[in-house]
Amino acid sequence: MTDPLPHAVRSDARDNRARILEAARAVFGEEGLSAPMREVARHAGVGPATLYRHFPTKQALIVETFAEQRRACQAAVRDALADSDPWYGFRSLIEWICELHAHSRGFADAFMTTFPEAMDFAADRERTTRAVAELARRAQESGQLRPGFVIDDLMLMAHRGVQDVPRAARLTASRRFAAYVIEAFRAAPEKEAPAPLPPAPRLRLAHSPSTP
C-alpha cells in the first residue's frame, strides 16, 4: 500500500504556508512592517517554529507577502509608459501608486524603504522613479505638465498620512489626495476650470472637542 502520510504532510505544509501569507498581508497591511513575526504566527494560527520553517527571516516573509503587489506595480509602470497620452500615463501612475499604498501600510513601508530589511523593493522603486521621470518629460513636452515640475516634487511620503485615516475611508482619502496632487502639477490655461475632485471621506477626529 502507498503510505498517505507524505502527501498529508505536504498538504498541511501548503495550507500552513498559505495561512501565514494571508495573515502577513493582513497584519503588515494594517500595522506596517514593524509588526512582529509572532503576531503574524498568532494571526495565522500556527506556532513560531512553523512560521520560521517556512520563512527563516522577516525579509523572506515580506518579499513573498507582497510578491503580487510588486508584479502589479511593474505592470502599472509598463502600462503608463505605453500610453499614447503622456499626461494620462503620468496621472494614472500617480493615482495607481497612491491607491496601492492606501490599501497596505506594509507595502508602502517596503516601497519607501522605511523598513531597512525590505531591500528587495529597491529595484521596483528605482523602476517607478525612472518611469515617472520619463512620463514627466513627455508630459512637459506636450505642454500638459507645468514646466517647473521636478521629480522631487512628487513626495509620496506625504501620502503616508492616509494610513492614519480609518480603514473604511482610506481609499476615498487616497483618491482625493491624488486628485489634489495631479491638479497642482497640471499646466492648465488660467481660465480653464479645474477638474472636479473625488468625494471627501467622512472622518471622525479622535478626541475632538464637543460642540457646545
Side-chain angles (χ1 to χ4, degrees):
M1 292 179 62
T2 302
D3 187 351
L5 185 58
H7 176 75
V9 170
R10 288 194 298 270
S11 179
D12 287 346
R14 286 195 298 269
D15 290 345
N16 285 339
R17 181 182 177 85
R19 285 204 303 273
I20 289 168
L21 288 174
E22 183 179 358
R25 281 188 284 270
V27 172
F28 291 149
E30 186 63 26
E31 302 179 24
L33 300 187
S34 60
M37 293 279 274
R38 63 178 179 275
E39 178 63 17
V40 175
R42 187 194 66 78
H43 198 90
V46 301
T50 299
L51 172 60
Y52 283 104
R53 186 161 56 248
H54 287 279
F55 301 99
T57 66
K58 193 171 188 179
Q59 181 178 358
L61 177 59
I62 290 168
V63 170
E64 188 65 23
T65 297
F66 297 115
E68 183 177 344
Q69 285 91 333
R70 291 178 66 195
R71 288 191 293 270
C73 186
Q74 293 164 13
V77 169
R78 288 194 301 269
D79 290 346
L81 287 171
D83 199 290
S84 59
D85 183 338
W87 172 247
Y88 182 83
F90 176 83
R91 186 184 69 194
S92 63
L93 187 56
I94 292 175
E95 290 171 340
W96 188 90
I97 292 171
C98 287
E99 184 168 328
L100 183 62
H101 286 196
H103 279 299
S104 175
R105 183 190 295 265
F107 186 81
D109 283 349
F111 192 86
M112 301 303 296
T113 64
T114 57
F115 189 75
E117 294 180 26
M119 297 307 296
D120 292 74
F121 289 75
D124 297 331
R125 188 172 56 258
E126 178 64 22
R127 186 183 299 109
T128 302
T129 301
R130 288 199 305 268
V132 171
E134 173 59 18
L135 287 165
R137 183 190 66 79
R138 297 178 191 176
Q140 284 175 329
E141 288 181 352
S142 72
Q144 298 176 89
L145 177 65
R146 61 175 60 214
F149 172 86
V150 294
I151 191 67
D152 292 335
D153 289 333
L154 189 57
M155 297 296 290
L156 290 177
M157 283 298 292
H159 186 253
R160 291 294 308 282
V162 171
Q163 297 291 346
D164 296 327
V165 172
R167 187 175 185 83
R170 274 182 209 163
L171 188 55
T172 301
S174 174
R175 287 171 176 164
R176 191 170 175 88
F177 173 85
Y180 270 123
V181 169
I182 291 165
E183 188 62 32
F185 294 158
R186 187 168 66 106
E190 291 184 5
K191 295 183 179 180
E192 184 176 333
L197 290 169
R202 297 180 62 84
L203 304 180
R204 291 184 178 180
L205 301 180
H207 309 296
S208 59
S210 58
T211 303

